[in-house]
Amino acid sequence: MTLSLLLLAVLPASAQDWELFPLGQRSAYVDSTQNPVSVETLTMDSVYQSGDAQTMYFNSAFKKSVFADCTSWEGESSVGPAYSYGIDSLVALNDTVYYTTEGSTSPFYFLPLATVGQSWPVVSIYWGNDYTTITITCISMGLSTFMGVTDSVKIFSLTPNGSSSGQAPISDQQFVLSKSRGLLHYVPFSQFLIHPSYTPFGSRELIGLQVGAVTAGYRQPSFSDYFHLSVGDLRAWKVLIGSDWYGVPDQYEYLADSITAVVNTPDSVIYTFDRTYYQSDGSILQLLGSIERYVKRDLNAMVTAPTHEFTLGHGFVLGTYGSVQNDTEVAPAIWMSGPIVRSVDPSELDTITSFTLTNGGDEMDTASCTLIPVSDIYREVHFDTRAGLTMKSVDNIGPWTQTLIGYRIDGVSEGDLSVGIIEDRTISHDAMSVLPNPSQESILLQGIPQGAAGQFTVYDGLGRAVMHGALPVSSLSVEGLQQSVYVVQVRLLDRIVTARFVKE
């Protein structure tokens, strides 16, 4: 399903000129050096005036719409960006905009009204930096056209007073500021303050914006973009039934589905399908008329949430013989919306957007505005605009994960559809450990096969992803993490393993 792109020549004017993030504008940014690219959405939607200072908050209106009358629920102070590059708020004083972040005692600041030739230094005293100062200079101003819009644009150069071995210099980057549409290109503000040699400078490029009902460029997918299967589509699943006990094998089961009916109601999409169920004991079941139901209002709020933000929505339950349904009978869970990733499929005929939601176990009773913490549980779901729900994982007493490994949708096949025929049903369970533990600088992952390919993610105590990357790696640097307890999760081709560690 192709993602809609709208190019409009005229957009409503911003309330003020040269704002970094115009009030009420939803801006979508990508790091253009990534492949596939990761999208970050930002909306500065609330301003608090105190004397001459204005505090500008991001996604406040979204939080109020999600939590309704529970905006002051216990733990609200933890609702914020999951990644160190996220922006929670800015402070404007006179003609200067300030940003502060944990780990640094000095602020980043920017002069949106700077004239050509004007410059200023941003100084950082973070102990891990190899140099202290990055000078920002306005080097030009003129008309430019972007996404069908022509506007006045300022360009700012970035000059460091030193360098870090192996790190591409920040002088390779620029700030580009539109008079009415805000930042078109920028380096995450926190990197001016914390930029040790092992952290490469990122960049953010505007690829889409929305003001009210008017959209230009990228549009974040909605519920209908994710749930659009048709009669005759096929799905193949691999189910991991894990064990947390050393020596007890993990087990695999396989599911093959054929969609036989699709019903769109005002509030739901309901899939009916015939399923072949390859059980771990080698037996095979034929299940006719299995049903999955996905609630539109609930899931639309979850999949359209701003990136790196908390949202509220009912989770997913395992129904009869592996069917997955949206569960509206229990208290809604508090989910962290992960990065949106855009990639082109192998046929290069379609842009696919994938999306992740994670939950550390917390639920919320919206009737009494009571936070319901659930210990020792972690949930994760994946969607993409090609196949809909592609993964559901729960880690409680033992991990359970259902992953889409193949499909045929609209006549296009991808992955493995011959499931359950030659695959092994069990694997030996190898424990993973972290050394040293506690740690201060870096950690080693013990129990992972040498050279194994996979992905790792580090989660904080709130279930928020704070680090992620690809395997194999010789070690993971944890210098940039705050002192706390963390969980590292490793996804290999044949299993998922986790271990806890303490950062001192």
Side-chain angles (χ1 to χ4, degrees), residues 232-238 254-259 274 276 278 387 403-423:
D233 291 343
L234 304 178
R235 302 179 301 182
W237 305 89
K238 186 175 187 176
Y254 296 87
L255 312 171
D257 298 339
S258 176
I259 306 295
D274 295 338
T276 303
Y278 301 89
T403 304
L404 189 71
I405 60 173
Y407 57 78
R408 189 181 72 206
I409 297 174
D410 295 333
V412 178
S413 297
E414 181 72 23
D416 181 14
L417 286 170
S418 60
V419 300
I421 299 175
I422 60 173
E423 294 88 346

PDB file of all heavy atoms in Angstrom, residues 232-238 254-259 274 276 278 387 403-423:
ATOM      1  N   GLY A 232      -8.073 -13.727   0.231  1.00  0.00           N
ATOM      2  CA  GLY A 232      -7.064 -14.377  -0.592  1.00  0.00           C
ATOM      3  C   GLY A 232      -5.640 -14.095  -0.166  1.00  0.00           C
ATOM      4  O   GLY A 232      -4.709 -14.787  -0.610  1.00  0.00           O
ATOM      5  N   ASP A 233      -5.421 -13.098   0.691  1.00  0.00           N
ATOM      6  CA  ASP A 233      -4.070 -12.828   1.198  1.00  0.00           C
ATOM      7  C   ASP A 233      -3.631 -13.961   2.118  1.00  0.00           C
ATOM      8  O   ASP A 233      -4.448 -14.580   2.814  1.00  0.00           O
ATOM      9  CB  ASP A 233      -4.025 -11.501   1.953  1.00  0.00           C
ATOM     10  CG  ASP A 233      -4.198 -10.301   1.030  1.00  0.00           C
ATOM     11  OD1 ASP A 233      -4.026 -10.485  -0.196  1.00  0.00           O
ATOM     12  OD2 ASP A 233      -4.498  -9.207   1.530  1.00  0.00           O
ATOM     13  N   LEU A 234      -2.320 -14.219   2.136  1.00  0.00           N
ATOM     14  CA  LEU A 234      -1.741 -15.280   2.955  1.00  0.00           C
ATOM     15  C   LEU A 234      -0.744 -14.702   3.944  1.00  0.00           C
ATOM     16  O   LEU A 234      -0.052 -13.724   3.646  1.00  0.00           O
ATOM     17  CB  LEU A 234      -1.037 -16.317   2.071  1.00  0.00           C
ATOM     18  CG  LEU A 234      -1.863 -16.992   0.970  1.00  0.00           C
ATOM     19  CD1 LEU A 234      -0.974 -17.938   0.172  1.00  0.00           C
ATOM     20  CD2 LEU A 234      -3.047 -17.737   1.572  1.00  0.00           C
ATOM     21  N   ARG A 235      -0.647 -15.331   5.134  1.00  0.00           N
ATOM     22  CA  ARG A 235       0.334 -14.931   6.141  1.00  0.00           C
ATOM     23  C   ARG A 235       0.982 -16.186   6.721  1.00  0.00           C
ATOM     24  O   ARG A 235       0.305 -17.206   6.916  1.00  0.00           O
ATOM     25  CB  ARG A 235      -0.324 -14.144   7.278  1.00  0.00           C
ATOM     26  CG  ARG A 235      -1.067 -12.899   6.861  1.00  0.00           C
ATOM     27  CD  ARG A 235      -1.694 -12.198   8.057  1.00  0.00           C
ATOM     28  NE  ARG A 235      -2.627 -13.067   8.773  1.00  0.00           N
ATOM     29  CZ  ARG A 235      -3.346 -12.687   9.836  1.00  0.00           C
ATOM     30  NH1 ARG A 235      -3.212 -11.457  10.298  1.00  0.00           N
ATOM     31  NH2 ARG A 235      -4.168 -13.528  10.430  1.00  0.00           N
ATOM     32  N   ALA A 236       2.272 -16.102   7.024  1.00  0.00           N
ATOM     33  CA  ALA A 236       2.986 -17.195   7.679  1.00  0.00           C
ATOM     34  C   ALA A 236       3.686 -16.652   8.918  1.00  0.00           C
ATOM     35  O   ALA A 236       4.380 -15.632   8.851  1.00  0.00           O
ATOM     36  CB  ALA A 236       4.001 -17.825   6.724  1.00  0.00           C
ATOM     37  N   TRP A 237       3.502 -17.333  10.050  1.00  0.00           N
ATOM     38  CA  TRP A 237       4.015 -16.865  11.332  1.00  0.00           C
ATOM     39  C   TRP A 237       4.955 -17.895  11.953  1.00  0.00           C
ATOM     40  O   TRP A 237       4.767 -19.099  11.790  1.00  0.00           O
ATOM     41  CB  TRP A 237       2.885 -16.615  12.331  1.00  0.00           C
ATOM     42  CG  TRP A 237       1.806 -15.700  11.890  1.00  0.00           C
ATOM     43  CD1 TRP A 237       0.664 -16.032  11.225  1.00  0.00           C
ATOM     44  CD2 TRP A 237       1.742 -14.280  12.109  1.00  0.00           C
ATOM     45  NE1 TRP A 237      -0.113 -14.917  11.001  1.00  0.00           N
ATOM     46  CE2 TRP A 237       0.524 -13.821  11.536  1.00  0.00           C
ATOM     47  CE3 TRP A 237       2.582 -13.362  12.724  1.00  0.00           C
ATOM     48  CZ2 TRP A 237       0.142 -12.492  11.569  1.00  0.00           C
ATOM     49  CZ3 TRP A 237       2.207 -12.036  12.758  1.00  0.00           C
ATOM     50  CH2 TRP A 237       1.006 -11.604  12.191  1.00  0.00           C
ATOM     51  N   LYS A 238       5.928 -17.392  12.690  1.00  0.00           N
ATOM     52  CA  LYS A 238       6.794 -18.231  13.515  1.00  0.00           C
ATOM     53  C   LYS A 238       6.589 -17.816  14.963  1.00  0.00           C
ATOM     54  O   LYS A 238       6.710 -16.633  15.295  1.00  0.00           O
ATOM     55  CB  LYS A 238       8.259 -18.045  13.109  1.00  0.00           C
ATOM     56  CG  LYS A 238       9.237 -18.990  13.806  1.00  0.00           C
ATOM     57  CD  LYS A 238      10.631 -18.797  13.223  1.00  0.00           C
ATOM     58  CE  LYS A 238      11.607 -19.818  13.761  1.00  0.00           C
ATOM     59  NZ  LYS A 238      12.947 -19.683  13.129  1.00  0.00           N
ATOM     60  N   TYR A 254       4.481 -22.953  14.212  1.00  0.00           N
ATOM     61  CA  TYR A 254       4.312 -22.220  12.965  1.00  0.00           C
ATOM     62  C   TYR A 254       2.842 -22.139  12.609  1.00  0.00           C
ATOM     63  O   TYR A 254       2.079 -23.082  12.851  1.00  0.00           O
ATOM     64  CB  TYR A 254       5.103 -22.896  11.834  1.00  0.00           C
ATOM     65  CG  TYR A 254       6.592 -22.873  12.072  1.00  0.00           C
ATOM     66  CD1 TYR A 254       7.209 -23.883  12.805  1.00  0.00           C
ATOM     67  CD2 TYR A 254       7.369 -21.835  11.588  1.00  0.00           C
ATOM     68  CE1 TYR A 254       8.575 -23.859  13.047  1.00  0.00           C
ATOM     69  CE2 TYR A 254       8.736 -21.799  11.820  1.00  0.00           C
ATOM     70  CZ  TYR A 254       9.328 -22.813  12.556  1.00  0.00           C
ATOM     71  OH  TYR A 254      10.675 -22.774  12.797  1.00  0.00           O
ATOM     72  N   LEU A 255       2.449 -21.008  12.025  1.00  0.00           N
ATOM     73  CA  LEU A 255       1.064 -20.762  11.666  1.00  0.00           C
ATOM     74  C   LEU A 255       1.008 -20.312  10.212  1.00  0.00           C
ATOM     75  O   LEU A 255       1.790 -19.454   9.791  1.00  0.00           O
ATOM     76  CB  LEU A 255       0.462 -19.667  12.551  1.00  0.00           C
ATOM     77  CG  LEU A 255       0.693 -19.781  14.059  1.00  0.00           C
ATOM     78  CD1 LEU A 255       0.237 -18.504  14.761  1.00  0.00           C
ATOM     79  CD2 LEU A 255      -0.047 -20.987  14.619  1.00  0.00           C
ATOM     80  N   ALA A 256       0.081 -20.891   9.456  1.00  0.00           N
ATOM     81  CA  ALA A 256      -0.139 -20.481   8.066  1.00  0.00           C
ATOM     82  C   ALA A 256      -1.605 -20.089   7.903  1.00  0.00           C
ATOM     83  O   ALA A 256      -2.497 -20.891   8.175  1.00  0.00           O
ATOM     84  CB  ALA A 256       0.213 -21.612   7.109  1.00  0.00           C
ATOM     85  N   ASP A 257      -1.851 -18.826   7.488  1.00  0.00           N
ATOM     86  CA  ASP A 257      -3.207 -18.272   7.420  1.00  0.00           C
ATOM     87  C   ASP A 257      -3.605 -17.967   5.982  1.00  0.00           C
ATOM     88  O   ASP A 257      -2.782 -17.495   5.187  1.00  0.00           O
ATOM     89  CB  ASP A 257      -3.307 -16.963   8.217  1.00  0.00           C
ATOM     90  CG  ASP A 257      -3.020 -17.140   9.693  1.00  0.00           C
ATOM     91  OD1 ASP A 257      -3.135 -18.283  10.174  1.00  0.00           O
ATOM     92  OD2 ASP A 257      -2.678 -16.137  10.342  1.00  0.00           O
ATOM     93  N   SER A 258      -4.885 -18.164   5.701  1.00  0.00           N
ATOM     94  CA  SER A 258      -5.479 -17.727   4.434  1.00  0.00           C
ATOM     95  C   SER A 258      -6.706 -16.895   4.761  1.00  0.00           C
ATOM     96  O   SER A 258      -7.655 -17.381   5.374  1.00  0.00           O
ATOM     97  CB  SER A 258      -5.877 -18.941   3.577  1.00  0.00           C
ATOM     98  OG  SER A 258      -6.541 -18.519   2.398  1.00  0.00           O
ATOM     99  N   ILE A 259      -6.679 -15.605   4.380  1.00  0.00           N
ATOM    100  CA  ILE A 259      -7.785 -14.701   4.689  1.00  0.00           C
ATOM    101  C   ILE A 259      -8.997 -15.088   3.840  1.00  0.00           C
ATOM    102  O   ILE A 259      -8.929 -15.140   2.610  1.00  0.00           O
ATOM    103  CB  ILE A 259      -7.402 -13.239   4.416  1.00  0.00           C
ATOM    104  CG1 ILE A 259      -6.115 -12.850   5.160  1.00  0.00           C
ATOM    105  CG2 ILE A 259      -8.551 -12.308   4.808  1.00  0.00           C
ATOM    106  CD1 ILE A 259      -6.219 -12.873   6.656  1.00  0.00           C
ATOM    107  N   ASP A 274      -8.598 -19.092   7.582  1.00  0.00           N
ATOM    108  CA  ASP A 274      -8.347 -20.496   7.872  1.00  0.00           C
ATOM    109  C   ASP A 274      -6.870 -20.652   8.227  1.00  0.00           C
ATOM    110  O   ASP A 274      -5.999 -20.135   7.514  1.00  0.00           O
ATOM    111  CB  ASP A 274      -8.697 -21.372   6.662  1.00  0.00           C
ATOM    112  CG  ASP A 274     -10.185 -21.346   6.341  1.00  0.00           C
ATOM    113  OD1 ASP A 274     -10.979 -21.015   7.257  1.00  0.00           O
ATOM    114  OD2 ASP A 274     -10.543 -21.646   5.186  1.00  0.00           O
ATOM    115  N   THR A 276      -3.570 -23.167   9.406  1.00  0.00           N
ATOM    116  CA  THR A 276      -2.885 -24.429   9.641  1.00  0.00           C
ATOM    117  C   THR A 276      -1.882 -24.209  10.767  1.00  0.00           C
ATOM    118  O   THR A 276      -1.022 -23.329  10.662  1.00  0.00           O
ATOM    119  CB  THR A 276      -2.148 -24.910   8.382  1.00  0.00           C
ATOM    120  OG1 THR A 276      -3.091 -25.012   7.307  1.00  0.00           O
ATOM    121  CG2 THR A 276      -1.516 -26.272   8.622  1.00  0.00           C
ATOM    122  N   TYR A 278       1.009 -25.679  13.066  1.00  0.00           N
ATOM    123  CA  TYR A 278       2.065 -26.673  13.243  1.00  0.00           C
ATOM    124  C   TYR A 278       2.566 -26.572  14.680  1.00  0.00           C
ATOM    125  O   TYR A 278       3.326 -25.664  15.018  1.00  0.00           O
ATOM    126  CB  TYR A 278       3.206 -26.423  12.257  1.00  0.00           C
ATOM    127  CG  TYR A 278       2.783 -26.473  10.809  1.00  0.00           C
ATOM    128  CD1 TYR A 278       2.320 -25.333  10.158  1.00  0.00           C
ATOM    129  CD2 TYR A 278       2.854 -27.660  10.096  1.00  0.00           C
ATOM    130  CE1 TYR A 278       1.931 -25.370   8.831  1.00  0.00           C
ATOM    131  CE2 TYR A 278       2.467 -27.703   8.753  1.00  0.00           C
ATOM    132  CZ  TYR A 278       2.010 -26.563   8.137  1.00  0.00           C
ATOM    133  OH  TYR A 278       1.625 -26.604   6.822  1.00  0.00           O
ATOM    134  N   ALA A 387       1.944  -5.205   5.647  1.00  0.00           N
ATOM    135  CA  ALA A 387       1.320  -6.426   6.153  1.00  0.00           C
ATOM    136  C   ALA A 387       0.535  -6.237   7.438  1.00  0.00           C
ATOM    137  O   ALA A 387      -0.027  -7.189   7.954  1.00  0.00           O
ATOM    138  CB  ALA A 387       2.392  -7.503   6.356  1.00  0.00           C
ATOM    139  N   THR A 403       5.996 -13.842  15.143  1.00  0.00           N
ATOM    140  CA  THR A 403       6.617 -12.994  14.131  1.00  0.00           C
ATOM    141  C   THR A 403       6.178 -13.417  12.742  1.00  0.00           C
ATOM    142  O   THR A 403       6.189 -14.604  12.404  1.00  0.00           O
ATOM    143  CB  THR A 403       8.155 -13.092  14.223  1.00  0.00           C
ATOM    144  OG1 THR A 403       8.574 -12.759  15.543  1.00  0.00           O
ATOM    145  CG2 THR A 403       8.820 -12.140  13.234  1.00  0.00           C
ATOM    146  N   LEU A 404       5.802 -12.437  11.922  1.00  0.00           N
ATOM    147  CA  LEU A 404       5.444 -12.698  10.536  1.00  0.00           C
ATOM    148  C   LEU A 404       6.719 -12.966   9.745  1.00  0.00           C
ATOM    149  O   LEU A 404       7.618 -12.126   9.699  1.00  0.00           O
ATOM    150  CB  LEU A 404       4.702 -11.499   9.953  1.00  0.00           C
ATOM    151  CG  LEU A 404       4.077 -11.687   8.571  1.00  0.00           C
ATOM    152  CD1 LEU A 404       2.879 -12.629   8.660  1.00  0.00           C
ATOM    153  CD2 LEU A 404       3.647 -10.340   7.989  1.00  0.00           C
ATOM    154  N   ILE A 405       6.813 -14.156   9.107  1.00  0.00           N
ATOM    155  CA  ILE A 405       8.019 -14.502   8.354  1.00  0.00           C
ATOM    156  C   ILE A 405       7.767 -14.589   6.859  1.00  0.00           C
ATOM    157  O   ILE A 405       8.709 -14.761   6.088  1.00  0.00           O
ATOM    158  CB  ILE A 405       8.640 -15.818   8.864  1.00  0.00           C
ATOM    159  CG1 ILE A 405       7.644 -16.969   8.716  1.00  0.00           C
ATOM    160  CG2 ILE A 405       9.110 -15.669  10.301  1.00  0.00           C
ATOM    161  CD1 ILE A 405       8.247 -18.329   9.052  1.00  0.00           C
ATOM    162  N   GLY A 406       6.501 -14.470   6.444  1.00  0.00           N
ATOM    163  CA  GLY A 406       6.204 -14.487   5.025  1.00  0.00           C
ATOM    164  C   GLY A 406       4.766 -14.084   4.774  1.00  0.00           C
ATOM    165  O   GLY A 406       3.913 -14.202   5.648  1.00  0.00           O
ATOM    166  N   TYR A 407       4.495 -13.579   3.569  1.00  0.00           N
ATOM    167  CA  TYR A 407       3.126 -13.194   3.234  1.00  0.00           C
ATOM    168  C   TYR A 407       2.957 -13.122   1.715  1.00  0.00           C
ATOM    169  O   TYR A 407       3.937 -13.026   0.965  1.00  0.00           O
ATOM    170  CB  TYR A 407       2.751 -11.852   3.859  1.00  0.00           C
ATOM    171  CG  TYR A 407       3.659 -10.696   3.488  1.00  0.00           C
ATOM    172  CD1 TYR A 407       3.545 -10.051   2.249  1.00  0.00           C
ATOM    173  CD2 TYR A 407       4.621 -10.238   4.383  1.00  0.00           C
ATOM    174  CE1 TYR A 407       4.367  -9.001   1.908  1.00  0.00           C
ATOM    175  CE2 TYR A 407       5.458  -9.178   4.052  1.00  0.00           C
ATOM    176  CZ  TYR A 407       5.325  -8.570   2.825  1.00  0.00           C
ATOM    177  OH  TYR A 407       6.147  -7.525   2.479  1.00  0.00           O
ATOM    178  N   ARG A 408       1.689 -13.197   1.280  1.00  0.00           N
ATOM    179  CA  ARG A 408       1.306 -12.857  -0.089  1.00  0.00           C
ATOM    180  C   ARG A 408       0.130 -11.907   0.011  1.00  0.00           C
ATOM    181  O   ARG A 408      -0.958 -12.275   0.466  1.00  0.00           O
ATOM    182  CB  ARG A 408       0.916 -14.095  -0.892  1.00  0.00           C
ATOM    183  CG  ARG A 408       0.716 -13.769  -2.402  1.00  0.00           C
ATOM    184  CD  ARG A 408       0.300 -14.990  -3.186  1.00  0.00           C
ATOM    185  NE  ARG A 408      -1.087 -15.350  -2.874  1.00  0.00           N
ATOM    186  CZ  ARG A 408      -1.566 -16.588  -2.992  1.00  0.00           C
ATOM    187  NH1 ARG A 408      -0.771 -17.574  -3.362  1.00  0.00           N
ATOM    188  NH2 ARG A 408      -2.834 -16.838  -2.702  1.00  0.00           N
ATOM    189  N   ILE A 409       0.349 -10.635  -0.354  1.00  0.00           N
ATOM    190  CA  ILE A 409      -0.654  -9.584  -0.226  1.00  0.00           C
ATOM    191  C   ILE A 409      -0.806  -8.900  -1.580  1.00  0.00           C
ATOM    192  O   ILE A 409       0.184  -8.483  -2.193  1.00  0.00           O
ATOM    193  CB  ILE A 409      -0.240  -8.559   0.854  1.00  0.00           C
ATOM    194  CG1 ILE A 409      -0.156  -9.253   2.218  1.00  0.00           C
ATOM    195  CG2 ILE A 409      -1.224  -7.392   0.911  1.00  0.00           C
ATOM    196  CD1 ILE A 409       0.380  -8.386   3.324  1.00  0.00           C
ATOM    197  N   ASP A 410      -2.048  -8.796  -2.050  1.00  0.00           N
ATOM    198  CA  ASP A 410      -2.329  -8.206  -3.371  1.00  0.00           C
ATOM    199  C   ASP A 410      -1.495  -8.865  -4.464  1.00  0.00           C
ATOM    200  O   ASP A 410      -1.040  -8.199  -5.410  1.00  0.00           O
ATOM    201  CB  ASP A 410      -2.065  -6.689  -3.344  1.00  0.00           C
ATOM    202  CG  ASP A 410      -3.008  -5.962  -2.409  1.00  0.00           C
ATOM    203  OD1 ASP A 410      -4.121  -6.467  -2.182  1.00  0.00           O
ATOM    204  OD2 ASP A 410      -2.621  -4.898  -1.890  1.00  0.00           O
ATOM    205  N   GLY A 411      -1.268 -10.186  -4.326  1.00  0.00           N
ATOM    206  CA  GLY A 411      -0.530 -10.926  -5.338  1.00  0.00           C
ATOM    207  C   GLY A 411       0.973 -10.837  -5.236  1.00  0.00           C
ATOM    208  O   GLY A 411       1.687 -11.488  -6.005  1.00  0.00           O
ATOM    209  N   VAL A 412       1.519 -10.057  -4.283  1.00  0.00           N
ATOM    210  CA  VAL A 412       2.963  -9.898  -4.117  1.00  0.00           C
ATOM    211  C   VAL A 412       3.415 -10.734  -2.928  1.00  0.00           C
ATOM    212  O   VAL A 412       2.893 -10.589  -1.825  1.00  0.00           O
ATOM    213  CB  VAL A 412       3.343  -8.425  -3.912  1.00  0.00           C
ATOM    214  CG1 VAL A 412       4.848  -8.289  -3.685  1.00  0.00           C
ATOM    215  CG2 VAL A 412       2.899  -7.585  -5.110  1.00  0.00           C
ATOM    216  N   SER A 413       4.392 -11.619  -3.150  1.00  0.00           N
ATOM    217  CA  SER A 413       4.883 -12.496  -2.092  1.00  0.00           C
ATOM    218  C   SER A 413       6.202 -11.992  -1.539  1.00  0.00           C
ATOM    219  O   SER A 413       7.017 -11.404  -2.262  1.00  0.00           O
ATOM    220  CB  SER A 413       5.067 -13.920  -2.628  1.00  0.00           C
ATOM    221  OG  SER A 413       3.836 -14.476  -3.046  1.00  0.00           O
ATOM    222  N   GLU A 414       6.419 -12.233  -0.257  1.00  0.00           N
ATOM    223  CA  GLU A 414       7.652 -11.838   0.423  1.00  0.00           C
ATOM    224  C   GLU A 414       7.904 -12.836   1.549  1.00  0.00           C
ATOM    225  O   GLU A 414       6.989 -13.237   2.260  1.00  0.00           O
ATOM    226  CB  GLU A 414       7.537 -10.415   0.981  1.00  0.00           C
ATOM    227  CG  GLU A 414       8.785  -9.910   1.680  1.00  0.00           C
ATOM    228  CD  GLU A 414       9.914  -9.601   0.711  1.00  0.00           C
ATOM    229  OE1 GLU A 414       9.630  -9.352  -0.476  1.00  0.00           O
ATOM    230  OE2 GLU A 414      11.073  -9.617   1.149  1.00  0.00           O
ATOM    231  N   GLY A 415       9.166 -13.234   1.709  1.00  0.00           N
ATOM    232  CA  GLY A 415       9.517 -14.108   2.818  1.00  0.00           C
ATOM    233  C   GLY A 415       9.188 -15.562   2.545  1.00  0.00           C
ATOM    234  O   GLY A 415       9.071 -16.007   1.393  1.00  0.00           O
ATOM    235  N   ASP A 416       9.025 -16.334   3.626  1.00  0.00           N
ATOM    236  CA  ASP A 416       8.847 -17.780   3.574  1.00  0.00           C
ATOM    237  C   ASP A 416       7.400 -18.142   3.863  1.00  0.00           C
ATOM    238  O   ASP A 416       6.887 -17.883   4.953  1.00  0.00           O
ATOM    239  CB  ASP A 416       9.780 -18.441   4.602  1.00  0.00           C
ATOM    240  CG  ASP A 416       9.670 -19.952   4.584  1.00  0.00           C
ATOM    241  OD1 ASP A 416       9.100 -20.498   3.625  1.00  0.00           O
ATOM    242  OD2 ASP A 416      10.162 -20.585   5.539  1.00  0.00           O
ATOM    243  N   LEU A 417       6.730 -18.746   2.885  1.00  0.00           N
ATOM    244  CA  LEU A 417       5.357 -19.198   3.068  1.00  0.00           C
ATOM    245  C   LEU A 417       5.256 -20.708   3.287  1.00  0.00           C
ATOM    246  O   LEU A 417       4.171 -21.231   3.531  1.00  0.00           O
ATOM    247  CB  LEU A 417       4.505 -18.807   1.856  1.00  0.00           C
ATOM    248  CG  LEU A 417       4.145 -17.323   1.759  1.00  0.00           C
ATOM    249  CD1 LEU A 417       3.525 -17.021   0.407  1.00  0.00           C
ATOM    250  CD2 LEU A 417       3.198 -16.922   2.876  1.00  0.00           C
ATOM    251  N   SER A 418       6.378 -21.436   3.204  1.00  0.00           N
ATOM    252  CA  SER A 418       6.365 -22.895   3.371  1.00  0.00           C
ATOM    253  C   SER A 418       6.729 -23.257   4.806  1.00  0.00           C
ATOM    254  O   SER A 418       7.673 -24.001   5.059  1.00  0.00           O
ATOM    255  CB  SER A 418       7.347 -23.544   2.395  1.00  0.00           C
ATOM    256  OG  SER A 418       8.658 -23.064   2.622  1.00  0.00           O
ATOM    257  N   VAL A 419       5.979 -22.719   5.752  1.00  0.00           N
ATOM    258  CA  VAL A 419       6.328 -22.906   7.157  1.00  0.00           C
ATOM    259  C   VAL A 419       5.929 -24.290   7.633  1.00  0.00           C
ATOM    260  O   VAL A 419       5.056 -24.943   7.080  1.00  0.00           O
ATOM    261  CB  VAL A 419       5.643 -21.843   8.042  1.00  0.00           C
ATOM    262  CG1 VAL A 419       6.060 -20.463   7.632  1.00  0.00           C
ATOM    263  CG2 VAL A 419       4.133 -21.997   7.994  1.00  0.00           C
ATOM    264  N   GLY A 420       6.615 -24.734   8.732  1.00  0.00           N
ATOM    265  CA  GLY A 420       6.199 -25.938   9.436  1.00  0.00           C
ATOM    266  C   GLY A 420       6.577 -27.224   8.767  1.00  0.00           C
ATOM    267  O   GLY A 420       6.142 -28.294   9.187  1.00  0.00           O
ATOM    268  N   ILE A 421       7.399 -27.192   7.707  1.00  0.00           N
ATOM    269  CA  ILE A 421       7.692 -28.419   6.962  1.00  0.00           C
ATOM    270  C   ILE A 421       9.059 -28.990   7.363  1.00  0.00           C
ATOM    271  O   ILE A 421       9.175 -30.158   7.720  1.00  0.00           O
ATOM    272  CB  ILE A 421       7.652 -28.141   5.454  1.00  0.00           C
ATOM    273  CG1 ILE A 421       6.253 -27.655   5.065  1.00  0.00           C
ATOM    274  CG2 ILE A 421       8.031 -29.391   4.654  1.00  0.00           C
ATOM    275  CD1 ILE A 421       6.141 -27.234   3.611  1.00  0.00           C
ATOM    276  N   ILE A 422      10.103 -28.172   7.325  1.00  0.00           N
ATOM    277  CA  ILE A 422      11.441 -28.691   7.589  1.00  0.00           C
ATOM    278  C   ILE A 422      12.094 -28.025   8.796  1.00  0.00           C
ATOM    279  O   ILE A 422      13.211 -28.366   9.147  1.00  0.00           O
ATOM    280  CB  ILE A 422      12.345 -28.501   6.356  1.00  0.00           C
ATOM    281  CG1 ILE A 422      12.473 -27.010   6.006  1.00  0.00           C
ATOM    282  CG2 ILE A 422      11.817 -29.275   5.165  1.00  0.00           C
ATOM    283  CD1 ILE A 422      13.484 -26.728   4.897  1.00  0.00           C
ATOM    284  N   GLU A 423      11.428 -27.070   9.434  1.00  0.00           N
ATOM    285  CA  GLU A 423      12.056 -26.338  10.514  1.00  0.00           C
ATOM    286  C   GLU A 423      12.175 -27.188  11.775  1.00  0.00           C
ATOM    287  O   GLU A 423      11.319 -28.015  12.072  1.00  0.00           O
ATOM    288  CB  GLU A 423      11.264 -25.058  10.864  1.00  0.00           C
ATOM    289  CG  GLU A 423      11.258 -24.008   9.764  1.00  0.00           C
ATOM    290  CD  GLU A 423      10.122 -24.216   8.780  1.00  0.00           C
ATOM    291  OE1 GLU A 423       9.518 -25.306   8.805  1.00  0.00           O
ATOM    292  OE2 GLU A 423       9.849 -23.292   7.999  1.00  0.00           O
TER     293      GLU A 423
END
